[in-house]
Amino acid sequence: MTDLSPSPRLSVVVPVKNEAPNVLPLVEEIERACAGLSPFEVIYVDDGSTDDTGRQVLGARSTRPWLRLLRHEASCGQSAAVRTGVLAARAAIVVTLDGDGQNDPAFIPQLVAALDDPSVALAAGQRVGRKDGAYKKWQSRIANGVRGRILKDGTRDTGCGLKAFRRDVYLRLPYFDALHRFMPALVKREGYRIAHVDVVDRPRHAGRSNYGMFDRLWVGILDLAGVWWLIRRRRRVPASQEIV
């Protein structure tokens, strides 16, 4: 990349897999939502798409030098795509959102503003008026309920893709598949507070879901147990200062 603006204030990471029809409409919405947060960058992470997703991003980039594209040779999952984007991000604040258009970028400024409080490391979107089918909503309700009772993370909807967080705190978290669903509990473990922002869920513009069922409660039960163990094993973090 040779035409990136220096030191962006914000990095927006969008994991995608086979979302070609949704790329340009979402890029345009992100552009409008982030106009007051310049300079910013948007990083699309193509998680092994087999359609024209990559070409659509490159086409949108022709007039948007702040738009970047990273590609996984093979699909590695949503958590891996998010991590790839965060590792490549150049800003101290990162926002994530799903690439299917169900997350409204209009809420990005509100999420970022919640991080003005230095004690807050994660602003988590909480979906209202969800547009998913009844079965998917039922699964999410059970998974979120069990997770909340065990981890006591104070978050009713960890599956919402709209999140804003401090990059350095994210990189301290243990990485595993489905990390994005356990971020509130792990960020609290690091000693930071979580802010919650209600966001309006929208119907998918086109295509079908590529992520979702696999990493819900039934397959993620070992992850849930592992995160519970990590929280139980946390020890006091020492405060230190250099003596000169």
Side-chain angles (χ1 to χ4, degrees), residues 15 47 72 75-83 170 173-183 186 210-217 219-227 230:
D47 186 34
H72 291 168
S75 179
C76 298
Q78 186 174 1
S79 287
V82 168
R83 183 171 175 81
Y170 173 92
L173 306 182
Y175 171 66
F176 55 94
D177 194 25
L179 165 63
H180 60 289
R181 295 189 180 277
F182 295 97
M183 279 186 67
L186 292 171
N210 295 287
Y211 300 123
M213 296 299 183
F214 178 78
D215 55 358
R216 279 184 164 76
L217 174 63
V219 177
I221 192 70
L222 291 178
D223 291 332
L224 180 62
V227 173
L230 283 170

Side-chain angles (χ1 to χ4, degrees), residues 179-206:
L179 165 63
H180 60 289
R181 295 189 180 277
F182 295 97
M183 279 186 67
L186 292 171
V187 167
K188 284 184 68 176
R189 179 178 181 268
E190 293 295 319
Y192 290 93
R193 294 174 52 236
I194 314 299
H196 299 98
V197 177
D198 284 345
V199 300
V200 177
D201 196 39
R202 306 188 295 186
R204 167 182 275 275
H205 292 316

Side-chain angles (χ1 to χ4, degrees), residues 76-205:
C76 298
Q78 186 174 1
S79 287
V82 168
R83 183 171 175 81
T84 293
V86 175
L87 287 171
R90 298 180 301 131
I93 300 298
V94 175
V95 167
T96 61
L97 71 160
D98 295 340
D100 58 11
Q102 287 192 260
N103 297 154
D104 190 343
F107 291 97
I108 290 177
Q110 189 176 349
L111 290 165
V112 173
L115 297 180
D116 287 344
D117 183 340
S119 69
V120 174
L122 169 65
Q126 305 286 273
R127 290 169 290 188
V128 295
R130 290 189 62 177
K131 304 303 181 184
D132 294 320
Y135 179 63
K136 191 172 182 180
K137 287 191 285 187
W138 175 78
Q139 274 203 329
S140 293
R141 190 177 300 115
I142 292 177
N144 279 313
V146 172
R147 188 212 67 255
R149 287 187 181 91
I150 293 175
L151 301 183
K152 298 178 172 57
D153 57 13
T155 303
R156 76 165 190 271
D157 178 19
T158 62
C160 180
L162 262 172
K163 295 180 176 72
F165 50 85
R166 303 187 190 280
R167 180 176 181 270
D168 61 333
V169 175
Y170 173 92
L171 293 176
R172 290 184 222 162
L173 306 182
Y175 171 66
F176 55 94
D177 194 25
L179 165 63
H180 60 289
R181 295 189 180 277
F182 295 97
M183 279 186 67
L186 292 171
V187 167
K188 284 184 68 176
R189 179 178 181 268
E190 293 295 319
Y192 290 93
R193 294 174 52 236
I194 314 299
H196 299 98
V197 177
D198 284 345
V199 300
V200 177
D201 196 39
R202 306 188 295 186
R204 167 182 275 275
H205 292 316

Side-chain angles (χ1 to χ4, degrees), residues 20-72:
N22 295 314
V23 169
L24 186 56
L26 186 58
V27 167
E28 291 173 344
E29 287 188 311
I30 294 172
E31 184 174 20
R32 290 193 295 270
C34 294
L37 300 173
S38 295
F40 63 89
E41 64 179 0
V42 179
I43 304 172
Y44 264 72
V45 182
D46 182 357
D47 186 34
S49 294
T50 56
D51 66 355
D52 287 336
T53 294
R55 280 190 286 272
Q56 290 294 321
V57 176
L58 289 177
R61 188 185 177 277
S62 63
T63 56
R64 299 172 176 89
W66 40 261
L67 182 58
R68 303 169 61 186
L69 173 64
L70 283 70
R71 176 175 170 80
H72 291 168

